[in-house]
Amino acid sequence: MAETHGHEAHGHDAHAHHEEGWFTKYFFSTDHKMIAKQYLFTGMLLGAVGAYFAYVFRMQMAFPNKPVPGYGLVTGADYNSLVTNHGAIMIFWVAMPVLIAAFGNFLIPLMVGCDDMVFPRINRLSYQIFLLSAIVLAASFFVQGGGFGGAWTAYPPLSAKAEYSLTPLGPTLWLAAVALEFVAFLLGGINFVTTAMNSRAPGMKAFDIPMAVWMIVIASILFMCSVGPLVAGAVMLMFDQQVGTGFFDPDRGGDPVLWQHLFWFFGHPEVYVVLLPALGFVAEIITVFSRKRLFAYKTVLYTTIGTGVLSFFVWAHHQFIAGIDPRMANVFSVTTVLISIPIAEMMFVYIATMFGGSISFSVPMLWALAFIVEFLLGGVTGIFLGASGADIYFHDTYFVVAHFHYTFFPIAIIGTYAGLTYWFPKMFGRHMNEAVNKVHFWVTITSFNGIFLPLFILGSAGDHRRIFDYSNFPELSQPWMQDMRVFATVCLLIMLAAQPLFLVNFFYSMFKGKKAEANPWNANTLEWQCPSPPPHGNFSPLPEVYRGPYEYSAEGRDQDFWPQNSPT
Amino acid sequence: MAETNTIRARPVKGPPIIQSEVFAMIIFVFADVMFFAGFISAYALVGARAPVGWWPPPGDPALPVAAAGGATVALLLSGAAVFYAGWAARSSLANAVRPLGVALALAVGFLGYQVFEFVRLLGVGFTLQSSAHGGFFYTMVGAHGLHAMSAVAVLAWAMRLVAAGTLSPGAFGAVRLYWYFVVLLWPAIYLTVYL
Ligand code: HEM
Ligand SMILES: [Cu+2]
């Protein structure tokens, strides 16, 4: 409310030229590019934490009850907490802040051609609340009984009663952290949508908006439509934990499955919330590196909106064996299988975009292609799970784990690497080393498949997820199964070992890389029409827009690109 | 494609269709509506699954339907007053001060009644913990009450700026929108919880 007039409130001229302290500059900036970097670095840091957790519990799985180097002996409670927080961190503190908040903040004002978000101070507040949420999450690991271990889905009664969770404060802090994170994204999302709606450069019509912006905006709207019921559920769960209410306690007239409905009503749209930005990045990248128009721009847009709507009617596919009415299971099977149609269509559109183009296999393009290939596997296996008959067998096996890693890894990791390698020159005004990035790409992609392909086989053999030590289950610890677990863990070690290649390259190039020109990829969208890195205020003068974002290889022009702001 | 090479005189930019503050508030209110929709559907679901005659549980006291109905009318009237304030402000912002004062007084009355009702019900042993029903009652009515309190605070702030003549039309629009949300949300909760 304090923001009375969006564009004059942040008054960038007022503090662009006098010296700011280091702290003011890096922690109290209202510049969208700085806030983007805050989100990016916080997200990367938490990504390292999430990766470390995965390392620890995968080691326990491959070599049960041997001390894990860098951690020690893993107890059952440790294991549960590590798995729970690995999932929660990767989704809420890595995928969301990096894909939506970091890229959304960086790209939206630049791509729609304005100087900053409409409400810069609300934007700053968004990051501060996000940081607080991460601190609360970290605090939850250090309370009596340790961190919360009731799975990232936090089903009651395990999450509701201290006598089951064995950590009286862990679940409450964990929930508080998640709720704070939602508030941060609510504030951020309001800014994204309002900015894309009201601050576009003159001349930029709805169908001139780059896909990446559309996707982030639609994702924000999906988030805001779905998060409310979960926050309501979080309030109820927190009361059950700390005040002794009985919302989810059947003894007192409550209903434990109620939580599952509230959670998945949010949870399923949430997967599209993170998917859409990644799809947007891929659209930008494949058009630039194929020198072609995006095939069927409007179809992509309408499909995305349709998918978003449909994603609110599939949630119970997570509950096929939770005791829901079988007639309801039928309905949700149908909607779930339906939703793979627009997803498949999107993949075809991207392939059609590349068809006949002059493709250059630069690093961002490699990542974008890998996204399509790997995500396709994730989507296809979702259809098996969507058929309720098959899912009764597959539910809670490693098949599900493999399925969603084939969706989330392309989104959160491949999508991020695609976006970072593509926009790095704009963000930091320098180039990364291509050769190192190519090695990093191939090792990461190969080892990723090595980790998760065996899990499909294990899951089909009935391997149950969330088991701390399989030696107690003879039929699940046959030698071939254990061998597959060891193989997957070794592949994880290889993947983790390859990541410093990128990180060192990233931080080294930030300061020492080859200087980047304004538009190194010869792209059309507005962010490439201002200096690299963009100064405070981005454009001078502010751009005007004459055409859509994907006019590549237009006939009758000497250049094969045609910037959106070029009058001729 | 050659014809696309001609210069098009596109750039024109009118004022935004919806002011940014109002637009932002629409999004916020929408998210908040979904928050309460979560409660209302949870209440309906738990009620529907309870055995016949067990919802609300027989031990719970009857809720004061009529008295709360009176408070509902007061709150709706405050919404009308804010609506009138927005209308009056079109000729001069100063005209809005008095109706805003009326709205504030009505809303404070509503909140006062709510506190009185909570104290009375707690007095007869109906608490958050007595049953899922008690939990829903206090959580839903309380969540609305917190929203109403924040709306009162925001409206008081806006009234001061209106009196000083410095409130921007966009911000005023956003404040009024929030007020309508709080007012119109209440009947939905009243119908769910009391009836
Ligand atoms: C083609 C569309 C998709 C279909 C048909 C589909 C179907 C399903 C089904 C039926 C389940 C429940 C399996 C079970 O628990 O027994 C499931 C789980 C899951 N899916 Fe998908 N899915 C699709 C796309 C996605 C996407 C795009 C993502 C992520 C961005 C995703 C992430 C997940 C996650 C995280 C879970 C597991 C949640 C958990 O139990 O921890 N899915 N999927
Ligand atoms: Cu789902």
Side-chain angles (χ1 to χ4, degrees), chain B residues 32-44:
Chain B
D32 224 351
V33 164
M34 291 306 293
F35 171 72
F36 282 98
F39 275 125
I40 290 173
S41 46
Y43 184 96

Side-chain angles (χ1 to χ4, degrees), chain A residues 537-554:
Chain A
N538 301 341
F539 300 91
S540 63
L542 286 169
E544 301 187 337
V545 168
Y546 295 88
R547 66 187 56 74
Y550 303 115
E551 298 293 326
Y552 292 104
S553 310

Side-chain angles (χ1 to χ4, degrees), chain A residues 264 267-269 271-272 314-318 336 403:
Chain A
W264 287 114
H268 193 88
V271 306
Y272 293 89
V314 300
W315 80 86
H317 64 214
H318 297 274
T336 302
H403 154 69

Side-chain angles (χ1 to χ4, degrees), chain B residues 18-193:
Chain B
I18 305 174
Q19 285 149 316
S20 294
E21 293 87 346
V22 177
F23 192 70
M25 185 54 82
I26 292 174
I27 302 171
F28 176 80
V29 162
F30 189 77
D32 224 351
V33 164
M34 291 306 293
F35 171 72
F36 282 98
F39 275 125
I40 290 173
S41 46
Y43 184 96
L45 193 80
V46 172
R49 291 178 67 122
V52 183
W54 279 89
W55 193 261
D60 289 355
L63 296 174
V65 176
T72 307
V73 173
L75 196 62
L76 287 173
L77 284 176
S78 87
V82 169
F83 185 78
Y84 176 74
W87 185 78
R90 288 199 302 187
S91 48
S92 150
L93 205 52
N95 294 341
V97 177
R98 199 183 281 226
L100 289 182
V102 174
L104 273 178
L106 284 165
V108 170
F110 170 84
L111 282 169
Y113 166 75
Q114 209 102 82
V115 171
F116 162 80
E117 185 185 289
F118 272 26
V119 170
R120 196 186 64 79
L121 286 172
L122 288 170
V124 297
F126 183 57
T127 63
L128 263 172
Q129 294 90 345
S130 20
S131 63
H133 179 245
F136 274 118
F137 173 80
Y138 286 104
T139 313
M140 290 171 74
V141 176
H144 176 268
L146 289 178
H147 277 77
M149 272 182 217
S150 71
V152 164
V154 170
L155 199 71
W157 167 82
M159 193 170 101
R160 239 188 51 213
L161 294 193
V162 165
T166 55
L167 192 64
S168 78
F172 193 27
V175 171
R176 295 201 311 268
L177 186 62
Y178 186 58
W179 193 269
Y180 302 146
F181 159 64
V182 170
V183 167
L184 293 178
L185 174 68
W186 175 252
I189 292 185
Y190 177 72
L191 290 176
T192 311
V193 176

